[in-house]
């Protein structure tokens, strides 16, 4: 395994990553402007290497999905200091923040309220057109599509959270195995075999339902092997600095597999052995809370999800708990779990004495 701490870029951290974060980097002068967003923010682009194989990588097409962007910056750092072999063989075309307005406002959608990852049939937004034009001019051999997934995701059949999930996007409803899809599957198997040794049981396959509006489907359909990378939740680390390391490791593994042709020896059917994603996590699960409901007092479990909000003043993301389910939730998991079985205080689900629950945590 690589010595990650050597390459990690400490100037960039936390969940709020914007164009300003990129401009603070020591290599910010290497960025060019690809074009402009709806809100007239520059969309930065970095070309790295001089090889004949072209890899196109973009991140934060969903503005509030910043973890993989941090990993991508670390990948750039790795390539710059250690990647001579890679850079002679590959030319990397990197768009670290495709949706700078969404990043600034901490929203999934762009300034017009459009989900850019549902815009690859219409190309109605300038950001989608910028990526499509770059794709057309580069004619990449591989595409890496970088995202964050919600903390709800688990690895199917287990009680482990999905820290990293991967996908070879489909090209039709019958999920045909085209040569491009097979190539992506093989590279994913390469990543999985390395990554699963580090975070065993925490790596999964993202949902592969076909949606032609998505960028991954669009480029895969054009015949370019495309891989979706999703950074997920690991324990109570909501800065996702730990996940960042594992995502960086995934990206380096993918590049190594492609450059050293490791993927060619892999049987692509092994892809289907990677467990799928499931949705079995709350951010906080409080078990056996004594609740008064309709003149009855019962013990019940409470499942909370954090709503992420940008505090415009401090430029920090706050994580505000909201009850989304209650009842018998024993088959679910929480990134944090507390048992109230020995607590005899009665809470009311409609009143704000529930806030006391959080004070006790
Ligand atoms: Zn996304």
């Amino acid at each position: 395994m690589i010595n990650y701490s050597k390459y990690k870029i400490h100037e960039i951290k936390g969940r709020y990553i914007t164009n300003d974060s990129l401009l603070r980097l020591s290599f910010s002068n290497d960025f060019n402007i690809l074009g402009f967003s709806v809100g007239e923010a520059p969309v930065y682009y970095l070309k790295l290497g001089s090889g004949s194989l072209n890899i196109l990588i973009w991140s934060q097409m969903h503005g509030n999905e910043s973890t993989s962007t941090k990993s991508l910056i670390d990948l750039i750092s790795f390539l710059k200091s250690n990647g001579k072999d890679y850079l002679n063989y590959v030319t990397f075309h990197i768009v670290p923040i495709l949706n700078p307005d969404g990043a600034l406002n901490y929203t999934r959608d762009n300034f017009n309220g459009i989900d850019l990852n549902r815009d690859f049939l219409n190309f109605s937004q300038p950001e989608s057109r910028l990526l499509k034009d770059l794709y057309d001019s580069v004619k990449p051999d591989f595409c890496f599509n970088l995202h964050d997934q919600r903390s709800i995701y688990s690895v199917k059949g287990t009680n482990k959270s999905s820290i990293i999930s991967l996908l070879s996007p489909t090209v039709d409803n019958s999920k045909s195995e085209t040569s491009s899809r097979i190539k992506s599957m093989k590279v994913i198997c390469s990543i999985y075999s390395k990554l699963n040794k580090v975070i065993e049981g925490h790596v999964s396959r993202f949902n592969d339902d076909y949606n032609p509006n998505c960028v991954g489907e669009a480029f895969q359909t054009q015949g370019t092997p495309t891989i979706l990378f999703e950074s997920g939740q690991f324990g109570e680390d909501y800065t996702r600095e730990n996940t960042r390391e594992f995502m960086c490791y995934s990206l380096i593994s993918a590049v190594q597999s492609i450059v050293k042709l490791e993927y060619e020896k892999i049987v692509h059917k092994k892809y289907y052995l990677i467990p799928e994603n499931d949705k079995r996590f709350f951010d906080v699960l409080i078990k056996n809370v004594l609740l008064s409901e309709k003149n009855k007092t019962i013990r019940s479990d409470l499942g909370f999800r954090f709503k992420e909000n940008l505090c415009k003043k401090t430029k920090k993301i706050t994580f505000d708990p909201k009850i989304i389910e209650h009842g018998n939730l024993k088959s679910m998991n929480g990134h944090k779990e507390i048992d109230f079985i020995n607590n005899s205080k009665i809470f009311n689900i409609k009143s704000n004495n529930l806030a006391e629950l959080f004070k006790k945590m």
Side-chain angles (χ1 to χ4, degrees):
M1 196 176 164
I2 61 148
N3 182 0
Y4 174 71
S5 58
K6 240 174 100 182
Y7 308 111
K8 182 174 177 176
I9 298 288
H10 293 275
E11 288 100 326
I12 189 166
K13 62 182 178 203
R15 287 291 278 274
Y16 187 56
I17 306 296
T18 64
N19 270 353
D20 280 351
S21 318
L22 301 180
L23 295 177
R24 281 198 295 271
L25 297 169
S26 63
F27 49 82
S28 64
N29 285 338
D30 296 354
F31 289 116
N32 289 303
I33 294 176
L34 187 65
F36 291 87
S37 66
V38 176
E40 295 177 0
V43 174
Y44 291 110
Y45 162 72
L46 176 76
K47 189 174 170 184
L48 197 61
S50 55
S52 57
L53 193 116
N54 289 287
I55 301 182
L56 172 59
I57 311 177
W58 63 95
S59 186
Q60 251 171 299
M61 71 187 306
H62 292 143
N64 57 356
E65 298 180 6
S66 54
T67 306
S68 303
T69 307
K70 296 185 288 184
S71 314
L72 179 56
I73 297 301
D74 297 336
L75 172 72
I76 295 169
S77 155
F78 169 79
L79 291 170
K80 276 175 171 286
S81 58
N82 199 50
K84 206 166 151 268
D85 294 346
Y86 301 123
L87 298 179
N88 287 333
Y89 188 74
V90 181
T91 303
F92 293 89
H93 305 268
I94 296 171
V95 182
I97 301 181
L98 182 64
N99 178 5
D101 301 328
L104 187 68
N105 297 316
Y106 202 70
T107 58
R108 175 183 173 91
D109 297 342
N110 77 347
F111 197 80
N112 286 335
I114 302 291
D115 183 339
L116 298 177
N117 203 22
R118 300 292 181 272
D119 192 38
F120 275 75
L121 280 179
N122 298 329
F123 301 104
S124 67
Q125 302 302 303
E127 297 90 347
S128 323
R129 291 194 292 271
L130 283 175
L131 185 60
K132 173 76 167 84
D133 290 347
L134 182 62
Y135 172 86
D136 287 341
S137 72
V138 164
K139 298 181 180 60
D141 298 281
F142 285 90
C143 287
F144 295 177
N145 177 18
L146 274 50
H147 291 255
D148 268 45
Q149 64 183 3
R150 288 174 296 156
S151 56
I152 191 173
Y153 286 109
S154 55
V155 176
K156 201 172 203 167
T158 77
N159 57 4
K160 292 188 169 180
S161 71
S162 167
I163 300 175
I164 301 286
S165 78
L166 304 157
L167 173 74
S168 170
T170 43
V171 299
D172 53 31
N173 281 320
S174 55
K175 302 178 184 177
S176 303
E177 292 183 346
T178 60
S179 63
S180 150
R181 269 202 85 209
I182 287 174
K183 239 177 173 179
S184 310
M185 287 175 181
K186 289 181 173 188
V187 176
I188 288 172
C189 290
S190 255
I191 303 167
Y192 179 77
S193 67
K194 289 177 187 171
L195 191 63
N196 202 45
K197 287 187 187 123
V198 186
I199 43 171
E200 198 182 345
H202 285 282
V203 188
S204 50
R205 254 191 304 143
F206 200 78
N207 180 304
D208 65 357
D209 289 343
Y210 176 60
N211 183 342
N213 293 294
C214 296
V215 61
E217 274 88 332
F219 292 168
Q220 188 93 281
T221 303
Q222 299 254 317
T224 309
T226 299
I227 299 170
L228 171 73
F229 294 80
E230 295 270 355
S231 290
Q233 187 63 28
F234 182 25
E236 291 178 65
D237 174 24
Y238 286 89
T239 63
R240 294 201 171 175
E241 289 293 310
N242 290 314
T243 301
R244 164 190 186 167
E245 176 176 351
F246 303 127
M247 178 52 77
C248 182
Y249 190 51
S250 307
L251 296 172
I252 292 173
S253 301
V255 172
Q256 279 175 344
S257 177
I258 290 167
V259 170
K260 296 179 180 166
L261 301 176
E262 291 166 1
Y263 70 92
E264 286 191 343
K265 299 171 212 107
I266 291 170
V267 180
H268 78 275
K269 293 281 184 198
K270 281 190 173 171
Y271 173 77
Y272 299 105
L273 299 177
I274 301 172
E276 290 177 282
N277 265 2
D278 201 352
K279 294 178 179 172
R280 305 204 71 80
F281 263 85
F282 296 110
D283 289 303
V284 180
L285 176 58
I286 307 183
K287 293 175 180 167
N288 302 306
V289 179
L290 211 45
L291 282 185
S292 75
E293 258 189 312
K294 295 175 194 153
N295 304 325
K296 270 200 306 192
T297 303
I298 49 157
R299 290 230 177 244
S300 184
D301 309 319
L302 301 177
F304 292 79
R305 188 154 305 140
F306 290 147
K307 190 168 167 17
E308 296 166 24
N309 291 305
L310 168 66
C311 174
K312 295 241 154 109
K313 221 169 157 190
T314 62
K315 305 282 182 216
K316 289 228 157 68
I317 309 303
T318 58
F319 296 86
D320 306 316
K322 246 189 117 165
I323 294 181
I324 49 154
E325 239 181 290
H326 67 104
N328 183 349
L329 304 175
K330 299 287 187 293
S331 66
M332 297 291 284
N333 307 283
H335 293 295
K336 183 183 181 84
E337 292 188 5
I338 306 162
D339 199 336
F340 264 51
I341 193 76
N342 295 320
N343 190 318
S344 54
K345 186 167 169 58
I346 298 170
F347 293 89
N348 188 312
I349 198 141
K350 291 206 173 84
S351 84
N352 57 10
N353 79 339
L354 278 172
E356 285 181 44
L357 282 172
F358 270 85
K359 286 191 195 131
K360 290 176 192 298
M361 279 164 53

